[in-house]
Tab-separated table of all heavy atoms in Angstrom:
chain	number	residue	atom	x	y	z
A	66	ARG	N	-11.973	1.465	-2.546
A	66	ARG	CA	-11.068	2.114	-1.582
A	66	ARG	C	-10.727	1.137	-0.468
A	66	ARG	O	-9.585	1.086	0.006
A	66	ARG	CB	-11.706	3.376	-0.993
A	66	ARG	CG	-10.713	4.183	-0.214
A	66	ARG	CD	-11.180	5.569	0.211
A	66	ARG	NE	-12.368	6.046	-0.411
A	66	ARG	CZ	-13.540	6.225	0.199
A	66	ARG	NH1	-13.669	5.923	1.485
A	66	ARG	NH2	-14.594	6.669	-0.444
A	67	GLU	N	-11.684	0.325	-0.018
A	67	GLU	CA	-11.422	-0.662	1.017
A	67	GLU	C	-10.333	-1.647	0.553
A	67	GLU	O	-9.387	-1.904	1.283
A	67	GLU	CB	-12.699	-1.423	1.374
A	67	GLU	CG	-12.472	-2.502	2.418
A	67	GLU	CD	-13.754	-3.279	2.726
A	67	GLU	OE1	-14.535	-3.538	1.786
A	67	GLU	OE2	-13.945	-3.636	3.903
A	68	LEU	N	-10.475	-2.161	-0.641
A	68	LEU	CA	-9.494	-3.092	-1.177
A	68	LEU	C	-8.120	-2.442	-1.302
A	68	LEU	O	-7.096	-3.016	-0.942
A	68	LEU	CB	-9.951	-3.629	-2.521
A	68	LEU	CG	-9.115	-4.750	-3.131
A	68	LEU	CD1	-8.942	-5.914	-2.172
A	68	LEU	CD2	-9.714	-5.212	-4.446
A	69	LEU	N	-8.094	-1.188	-1.750
A	69	LEU	CA	-6.813	-0.466	-1.868
A	69	LEU	C	-6.168	-0.235	-0.489
A	69	LEU	O	-4.938	-0.388	-0.327
A	69	LEU	CB	-7.009	0.863	-2.595
A	69	LEU	CG	-7.329	0.760	-4.076
A	69	LEU	CD1	-7.776	2.127	-4.614
A	69	LEU	CD2	-6.167	0.214	-4.871
A	70	LEU	N	-6.984	0.093	0.496
A	70	LEU	CA	-6.450	0.273	1.854
A	70	LEU	C	-5.886	-1.053	2.386
A	70	LEU	O	-4.837	-1.063	3.027
A	70	LEU	CB	-7.519	0.808	2.776
A	70	LEU	CG	-7.844	2.301	2.610
A	70	LEU	CD1	-9.162	2.678	3.280
A	70	LEU	CD2	-6.698	3.177	3.146
A	71	TYR	N	-6.545	-2.148	2.092
A	71	TYR	CA	-6.059	-3.445	2.555
A	71	TYR	C	-4.783	-3.841	1.812
A	71	TYR	O	-3.905	-4.451	2.378
A	71	TYR	CB	-7.127	-4.526	2.402
A	71	TYR	CG	-8.297	-4.332	3.378
A	71	TYR	CD1	-9.510	-4.984	3.184
A	71	TYR	CD2	-8.192	-3.509	4.494
A	71	TYR	CE1	-10.573	-4.808	4.056
A	71	TYR	CE2	-9.249	-3.326	5.364
A	71	TYR	CZ	-10.428	-3.969	5.147
A	71	TYR	OH	-11.465	-3.786	6.033
A	72	MET	N	-4.655	-3.450	0.517
A	72	MET	CA	-3.413	-3.676	-0.188
A	72	MET	C	-2.254	-2.922	0.503
A	72	MET	O	-1.156	-3.452	0.663
A	72	MET	CB	-3.494	-3.177	-1.628
A	72	MET	CG	-4.207	-4.076	-2.573
A	72	MET	SD	-4.153	-3.255	-4.218
A	72	MET	CE	-5.201	-4.346	-5.131
A	73	LEU	N	-2.538	-1.669	0.875
A	73	LEU	CA	-1.551	-0.864	1.578
A	73	LEU	C	-1.199	-1.505	2.919
A	73	LEU	O	-0.022	-1.534	3.306
A	73	LEU	CB	-2.034	0.566	1.788
A	73	LEU	CG	-1.892	1.491	0.601
A	73	LEU	CD1	-2.642	2.792	0.870
A	73	LEU	CD2	-0.432	1.759	0.304
A	74	MET	N	-2.191	-2.011	3.622
A	74	MET	CA	-1.923	-2.674	4.887
A	74	MET	C	-1.031	-3.889	4.697
A	74	MET	O	-0.096	-4.108	5.450
A	74	MET	CB	-3.244	-3.115	5.545
A	74	MET	CG	-4.058	-1.991	6.145
A	74	MET	SD	-5.577	-2.647	6.916
A	74	MET	CE	-4.878	-3.574	8.300
A	75	ALA	N	-1.316	-4.677	3.663
A	75	ALA	CA	-0.493	-5.864	3.376
A	75	ALA	C	0.912	-5.423	3.065
A	75	ALA	O	1.900	-6.059	3.497
A	75	ALA	CB	-1.084	-6.662	2.223
A	76	HIS	N	1.066	-4.336	2.316
A	76	HIS	CA	2.393	-3.807	1.978
A	76	HIS	C	3.148	-3.412	3.245
A	76	HIS	O	4.312	-3.771	3.439
A	76	HIS	CB	2.209	-2.614	1.043
A	76	HIS	CG	3.481	-1.927	0.675
A	76	HIS	ND1	4.504	-2.546	-0.040
A	76	HIS	CD2	3.926	-0.662	0.911
A	76	HIS	CE1	5.489	-1.675	-0.216
A	76	HIS	NE2	5.151	-0.512	0.358
A	77	ILE	N	2.488	-2.693	4.117
A	77	ILE	CA	3.100	-2.259	5.394
A	77	ILE	C	3.455	-3.478	6.247
A	77	ILE	O	4.565	-3.534	6.788
A	77	ILE	CB	2.166	-1.273	6.121
A	77	ILE	CG1	2.028	0.020	5.330
A	77	ILE	CG2	2.672	-0.993	7.536
A	77	ILE	CD1	0.882	0.893	5.754
A	78	CYS	N	2.555	-4.409	6.351
A	78	CYS	CA	2.826	-5.647	7.110
A	78	CYS	C	4.033	-6.380	6.566
A	78	CYS	O	4.895	-6.832	7.311
A	78	CYS	CB	1.610	-6.563	7.104
A	78	CYS	SG	0.223	-6.036	8.122
A	79	TYR	N	4.089	-6.485	5.245
A	79	TYR	CA	5.189	-7.213	4.604
A	79	TYR	C	6.522	-6.574	4.888
A	79	TYR	O	7.499	-7.216	5.239
A	79	TYR	CB	4.935	-7.267	3.099
A	79	TYR	CG	5.932	-8.100	2.329
A	79	TYR	CD1	5.749	-9.485	2.193
A	79	TYR	CD2	7.063	-7.533	1.770
A	79	TYR	CE1	6.656	-10.250	1.500
A	79	TYR	CE2	7.983	-8.299	1.058
A	79	TYR	CZ	7.779	-9.655	0.924
A	79	TYR	OH	8.688	-10.417	0.248
A	80	ILE	N	6.565	-5.227	4.774
A	80	ILE	CA	7.806	-4.506	5.001
A	80	ILE	C	8.217	-4.557	6.475
A	80	ILE	O	9.375	-4.828	6.799
A	80	ILE	CB	7.675	-3.028	4.566
A	80	ILE	CG1	7.576	-2.945	3.054
A	80	ILE	CG2	8.866	-2.219	5.037
A	80	ILE	CD1	7.265	-1.542	2.565
A	81	GLN	N	7.292	-4.302	7.371
A	81	GLN	CA	7.651	-4.147	8.791
A	81	GLN	C	7.729	-5.468	9.556
A	81	GLN	O	8.572	-5.613	10.426
A	81	GLN	CB	6.627	-3.224	9.472
A	81	GLN	CG	6.714	-1.803	8.981
A	81	GLN	CD	5.734	-0.881	9.678
A	81	GLN	OE1	4.962	-1.286	10.520
A	81	GLN	NE2	5.787	0.396	9.317
A	82	TYR	N	6.851	-6.427	9.214
A	82	TYR	CA	6.777	-7.644	10.025
A	82	TYR	C	7.019	-8.924	9.262
A	82	TYR	O	7.239	-9.968	9.859
A	82	TYR	CB	5.393	-7.713	10.703
A	82	TYR	CG	5.067	-6.470	11.443
A	82	TYR	CD1	4.170	-5.524	10.927
A	82	TYR	CD2	5.667	-6.189	12.656
A	82	TYR	CE1	3.895	-4.340	11.575
A	82	TYR	CE2	5.404	-4.984	13.334
A	82	TYR	CZ	4.505	-4.085	12.778
A	82	TYR	OH	4.240	-2.922	13.446
A	83	GLY	N	6.949	-8.854	7.932
A	83	GLY	CA	7.067	-10.073	7.146
A	83	GLY	C	5.762	-10.860	7.261
A	83	GLY	O	4.838	-10.492	7.963
A	84	ASP	N	5.704	-11.973	6.507
A	84	ASP	CA	4.529	-12.810	6.593
A	84	ASP	C	4.791	-14.053	7.423
A	84	ASP	O	5.906	-14.260	7.865
A	84	ASP	CB	3.972	-13.124	5.181
A	84	ASP	CG	4.938	-13.964	4.354
A	84	ASP	OD1	5.837	-14.619	4.914
A	84	ASP	OD2	4.766	-13.979	3.125
A	85	ALA	N	3.796	-14.860	7.579
A	85	ALA	CA	3.905	-16.053	8.413
A	85	ALA	C	4.862	-17.102	7.817
A	85	ALA	O	5.328	-17.980	8.532
A	85	ALA	CB	2.496	-16.698	8.627
A	86	ASN	N	5.202	-16.950	6.543
A	86	ASN	CA	6.140	-17.877	5.897
A	86	ASN	C	7.590	-17.384	5.942
A	86	ASN	O	8.448	-18.001	5.373
A	86	ASN	CB	5.724	-18.094	4.428
A	86	ASN	CG	4.343	-18.699	4.299
A	86	ASN	OD1	3.986	-19.575	5.079
A	86	ASN	ND2	3.574	-18.214	3.368
A	87	GLY	N	7.804	-16.250	6.594
A	87	GLY	CA	9.166	-15.719	6.714
A	87	GLY	C	9.586	-14.824	5.578
A	87	GLY	O	10.754	-14.440	5.490
A	88	ASN	N	8.680	-14.454	4.694
A	88	ASN	CA	9.007	-13.545	3.606
A	88	ASN	C	8.865	-12.120	4.065
A	88	ASN	O	7.988	-11.787	4.838
A	88	ASN	CB	8.083	-13.786	2.398
A	88	ASN	CG	8.171	-15.184	1.882
A	88	ASN	OD1	9.260	-15.718	1.687
A	88	ASN	ND2	7.042	-15.812	1.688
A	89	GLY	N	9.732	-11.239	3.569
A	89	GLY	CA	9.671	-9.828	3.904
A	89	GLY	C	10.162	-9.577	5.323
A	89	GLY	O	10.750	-10.447	5.949
A	90	GLY	N	9.899	-8.393	5.803
A	90	GLY	CA	10.235	-8.025	7.168
A	90	GLY	C	11.749	-7.977	7.461
A	90	GLY	O	12.147	-8.098	8.592
A	91	SER	N	12.548	-7.810	6.425
A	91	SER	CA	13.986	-7.819	6.604
A	91	SER	C	14.513	-6.533	7.253
A	91	SER	O	15.605	-6.504	7.787
A	91	SER	CB	14.687	-8.024	5.273
A	91	SER	OG	14.490	-6.901	4.446
A	92	GLY	N	13.734	-5.485	7.161
A	92	GLY	CA	14.182	-4.212	7.645
A	92	GLY	C	14.991	-3.436	6.630
A	92	GLY	O	15.267	-2.249	6.813
A	93	LEU	N	15.353	-4.095	5.527
A	93	LEU	CA	16.074	-3.405	4.460
A	93	LEU	C	15.111	-2.573	3.630
A	93	LEU	O	13.981	-3.003	3.386
A	93	LEU	CB	16.751	-4.428	3.540
A	93	LEU	CG	17.930	-5.162	4.092
A	93	LEU	CD1	18.405	-6.221	3.094
A	93	LEU	CD2	19.060	-4.232	4.436
A	94	VAL	N	15.547	-1.401	3.237
A	94	VAL	CA	14.736	-0.586	2.368
A	94	VAL	C	15.476	-0.509	1.029
A	94	VAL	O	16.629	-0.131	0.985
A	94	VAL	CB	14.526	0.823	2.977
A	94	VAL	CG1	13.782	1.694	2.007
A	94	VAL	CG2	13.834	0.723	4.302
A	95	GLY	N	14.796	-0.870	-0.018
A	95	GLY	CA	15.400	-0.865	-1.325
A	95	GLY	C	15.778	-2.256	-1.791
A	95	GLY	O	15.567	-3.256	-1.099
A	96	ARG	N	16.418	-2.308	-2.949
A	96	ARG	CA	16.824	-3.584	-3.493
A	96	ARG	C	18.166	-3.981	-2.889
A	96	ARG	O	18.948	-3.123	-2.493
A	96	ARG	CB	16.887	-3.537	-5.018
A	96	ARG	CG	17.961	-2.634	-5.538
A	96	ARG	CD	18.066	-2.722	-7.074
A	96	ARG	NE	19.004	-1.729	-7.553
A	96	ARG	CZ	20.294	-1.845	-7.549
A	96	ARG	NH1	20.850	-2.942	-7.046
A	96	ARG	NH2	21.079	-0.892	-7.984
A	97	LEU	N	18.410	-5.255	-2.840
A	97	LEU	CA	19.673	-5.780	-2.336
A	97	LEU	C	20.762	-5.416	-3.361
A	97	LEU	O	20.680	-5.796	-4.510
A	97	LEU	CB	19.580	-7.292	-2.182
A	97	LEU	CG	20.724	-7.971	-1.443
A	97	LEU	CD1	20.828	-7.446	-0.020
A	97	LEU	CD2	20.507	-9.458	-1.425
Side-chain angles (χ1 to χ4, degrees):
R66 191 171 346 112
E67 178 182 38
L68 186 55
L69 290 169
L70 284 164
Y71 291 162
M72 281 181 187
L73 279 170
M74 286 181 67
H76 176 63
I77 294 165
C78 287
Y79 186 86
I80 291 173
Q81 293 181 358
Y82 308 103
D84 64 19
N86 299 320
N88 301 313
S91 67
L93 289 175
V94 177
R96 67 175 173 79
L97 191 62

